[in-house]
Amino acid sequence: MDVIHHGAASGVTGSCHELVVAPGASVLVDIGLFQGAETSGADTVSGDAGENNQAIDFSLDNVRALVITHCHIDHVGRLPWLLIAGYRKPIFCTRATAHLLPMVIEDALKVGLTRNAQLIQAVLKLLDGLLHPVDYDEWLELGTIDAALPLRLRFRQAGHILGSSYVEFERLVSVTAVSEREVSVTTVSVTTVSDTALTDPNLSGKPQRIVFSGDLGCKNSPLLPDPQPLERADMLVLESTYGDKNHENRAERQQRLQRVIEHCVADRGAVLIPAFSIGRTQELLYELEDIIYQCKQAECAKEHSIWQDIVVIVDSPMAAEFTQQYRKMRDLWDAEARGRLADDRHPLNFKRMHIVSSHAEHERLVNYLRSTGEPCIVIAASGMCTGGRMVNYLRALLPDPRTDVLFVGFQAAGTPGRDIQRYGPRGGYVDLDGERIWIKAEIHTLGGYSAHADQQELIEFIATAEHVGYVRLVHGDAAVQRAFRAILQARFPEITVDCACDL
């Protein structure tokens, strides 16, 4: 079996990998949107995103199925373009992902293609007819759906967002080994690996297994179970977003969040937190509710604590909708989160939380904060400041020294978020929708809030497995992939490791 990369080969967006099962038969794993400097048509010299061209630029002739690891936009955002290109085959994902996916695709359509309600509903109806939800830990034989796919697949808990998974494929029949060769995919040259190279002689009799990590989450994340340990993999296609570093202590991150916000509010202005609608927003709400609750229990509000009156504003229709869906799927929460519900607490729907519903209310709030600088916490998408309502807040409030911007997630090269993070502390500027905005706000980056496993957790994912024969690094900047490859080669000399960015 061969693996061809159509995205996330040398960056962190646009995840899309093609598993070639047999002549004339392959499976796509994810179909993500490109963002920032990785957008199709980007200027690779300047790092600025060029034309937002997400069209499918590879052949679908042999693709017999799409498997989705989770519903973040950088893993599913090109699905509308895939359907436009004529794809009408099955789409497999976990049940929670199948529940959340239509909302993500509706938003992607509105942002990137059309706001025609009739057309959007037609696309969503088509999507619904293709979806095949699968339970975690259950093997599904794809050959029962398409005889050309002698495979079975299984979704395992990835702990990244609700419904996230890493996916295991096992071959069910013997296929003649293919020789190593070069395969050209648009501008990416991919070295495929022979079946012989993927077979461990110590595991004779066990079917060949290829594992795609998707996005692996961190241990001890709010709301979510920890990622399930990897059993074995003849080939592991592994994300490397944070392959070159370890996160700050996650056990203390809530205390750091509290200290940073208290410092920010001392500036007597708004605290802006760009956050992805799915996952990061819910984690922030979960911890902010706990800070407010703990302060109330300790009666710190009597000591003129800012937490007595602070309002937490969620200004993102999509984030609000996903937060509601998270509440409905509480059976997937971890034990700690369910325990708070048992104590009659509502970590995703607390008293000091306010949801902005209409665009008119959003505009009034932006203008109000511009004129008053009223202290509050605003959580809005997008997480990398590439669009959404956060851009309006930044345009209005970045020039105000009372404002604080708090980054809690990865900012990809070429995104406004990366520019604010990089140039803001120097008093520089950022271009937002073609307008130059000078930055007088204070900029903060809080570690420990990434939803991606760090270097040590990625190493542990491999180390605890019974067997890993070969690792292909993806979903990481080129320099990060290469640095992580050197670390893995030193730690696991028996494992072959390569980087998608070098193929």
Side-chain angles (χ1 to χ4, degrees), residues 6 77 281 292 328 470 472:
H6 303 298
T281 293
I292 294 170
K328 289 181 179 179
Y470 179 91
R472 167 75 52 80

Side-chain angles (χ1 to χ4, degrees), residues 193 197-201 203 209 230 232-236 462 465-472 492-498:
V193 183
L198 296 179
T199 303
D200 180 1
L203 292 174
R209 182 180 292 184
L230 177 67
R232 65 180 182 88
D234 295 299
M235 181 179 185
L236 171 62
I462 298 173
E466 172 190 350
H467 160 75
V468 175
Y470 179 91
V471 174
R472 167 75 52 80
F492 306 105
E494 73 282 6
I495 299 176
T496 301
V497 183
D498 67 14

Side-chain angles (χ1 to χ4, degrees), residues 83-199:
L83 297 176
I84 289 171
Y87 181 83
R88 297 296 184 271
K89 300 296 177 63
I91 301 173
F92 300 98
C93 59
T94 66
R95 293 192 180 279
T97 295
H99 185 72
L100 298 172
L101 184 61
M103 289 178 282
V104 178
I105 298 308
E106 181 178 356
D107 186 69
L109 285 166
K110 289 178 178 177
V111 171
L113 287 172
T114 180
R115 289 189 172 272
N116 183 299
Q118 187 175 1
L119 182 57
I120 290 172
Q121 288 307 308
V123 172
L124 296 180
K125 182 178 180 180
L126 173 61
L127 175 62
D128 183 66
L130 301 178
L131 282 175
H132 290 253
V134 181
D135 290 328
Y136 280 115
D137 304 326
E138 298 290 332
W139 284 106
L140 173 69
E141 293 193 15
L142 297 182
T144 62
I145 299 171
D146 188 332
L149 295 175
L151 288 176
R152 65 176 187 166
L153 68 79
R154 179 170 68 169
F155 292 105
R156 310 304 301 270
Q157 175 62 249
H160 178 65
I161 63 171
L162 205 66
S164 63
S165 64
Y166 63 90
V167 60
E168 302 169 326
F169 292 95
E170 284 191 349
R171 171 172 287 167
L172 297 178
V173 296
S174 176
V175 178
T176 304
V178 296
S179 60
E180 195 169 282
R181 63 192 183 277
E182 293 294 317
V183 178
S184 178
V185 183
T186 63
T187 60
V188 182
S189 179
V190 180
T191 302
T192 62
V193 183
S194 71
D195 289 346
T196 303
L198 296 179
T199 303

Side-chain angles (χ1 to χ4, degrees), residues 199-469:
T199 303
D200 180 1
N202 297 319
L203 292 174
S204 58
K206 292 190 176 182
Q208 183 188 65
R209 182 180 292 184
I210 295 184
V211 179
F212 291 81
S213 73
D215 285 352
L216 290 176
C218 299
K219 295 179 180 178
N220 303 314
S221 293
L223 294 166
L224 299 173
D226 288 348
Q228 287 178 285
L230 177 67
E231 291 180 354
R232 65 180 182 88
D234 295 299
M235 181 179 185
L236 171 62
V237 180
L238 180 65
E239 73 131 315
S240 57
T241 312
Y242 285 99
D244 64 336
K245 65 186 65 164
N246 290 312
H247 300 317
E248 296 177 30
N249 188 329
R250 294 178 68 83
E252 299 173 357
R253 75 179 198 178
Q254 182 170 308
Q255 290 88 337
R256 293 197 302 274
L257 175 64
Q258 180 173 348
R259 288 195 298 268
V260 169
I261 289 179
E262 288 172 352
H263 167 79
C264 293
V265 173
D267 292 341
R268 304 305 301 166
V271 181
L272 306 181
I273 309 180
F276 291 112
S277 299
I278 316 171
R280 192 68 44 76
T281 293
Q282 291 75 34
E283 285 191 26
L284 286 165
L285 292 174
Y286 184 87
E287 296 203 337
L288 289 168
E289 184 275 341
D290 195 50
I291 293 171
I292 294 170
Y293 175 82
Q294 297 298 337
C295 276
K296 183 178 179 180
Q297 294 298 104
E299 297 186 339
C300 62
K302 294 181 179 179
E303 301 171 10
H304 306 289
S305 166
I306 64 105
W307 300 102
Q308 180 178 5
D309 300 314
I310 196 74
V311 175
V312 179
I313 298 168
V314 179
D315 192 353
S316 167
M318 192 171 172
E321 179 63 25
F322 277 110
T323 300
Q324 182 179 2
Q325 298 306 321
Y326 262 59
R327 294 201 296 264
K328 289 181 179 179
M329 292 186 281
R330 59 187 63 178
D331 58 309
L332 296 177
W333 293 10
D334 66 4
E336 180 188 79
R338 292 196 302 271
R340 292 189 185 182
L341 291 172
D343 292 337
D344 199 28
R345 293 171 58 186
H346 303 279
L348 298 182
N349 189 25
F350 50 93
K351 185 177 180 181
R352 304 301 302 173
M353 174 179 140
H354 175 71
I355 293 176
V356 177
S357 300
S358 70
H359 186 71
E361 183 184 2
H362 160 73
E363 290 182 323
R364 287 196 298 270
L365 182 58
V366 170
N367 291 331
Y368 175 75
L369 294 178
R370 190 201 325 250
S371 61
T372 67
E374 181 76 19
C376 63
I377 300 168
V378 178
I379 302 172
S382 75
M384 297 184 190
C385 310
T386 55
R389 292 181 177 180
M390 178 52 69
V391 173
N392 295 331
Y393 285 103
L394 294 170
R395 188 184 294 111
L397 299 179
L398 276 177
D400 189 338
R402 296 173 296 180
T403 303
D404 290 84
V405 180
L406 175 57
F407 289 105
V408 293
F410 186 85
Q411 303 299 310
T415 62
R418 173 71 72 90
D419 289 342
I420 295 169
Q421 197 175 46
R422 180 179 180 183
Y423 301 115
R426 310 179 196 175
Y429 65 86
V430 61
D431 289 327
L432 297 173
D433 294 336
E435 182 182 357
R436 179 165 295 182
I437 306 296
W438 289 93
I439 305 169
K440 296 182 180 179
E442 190 169 351
I443 310 301
H444 312 264
T445 299
L446 190 58
Y449 271 88
S450 173
H452 290 266
D454 64 12
Q455 182 188 98
Q456 185 56 40
E457 289 169 319
L458 292 171
I459 290 172
E460 290 174 1
F461 188 69
I462 298 173
T464 56
E466 172 190 350
H467 160 75
V468 175

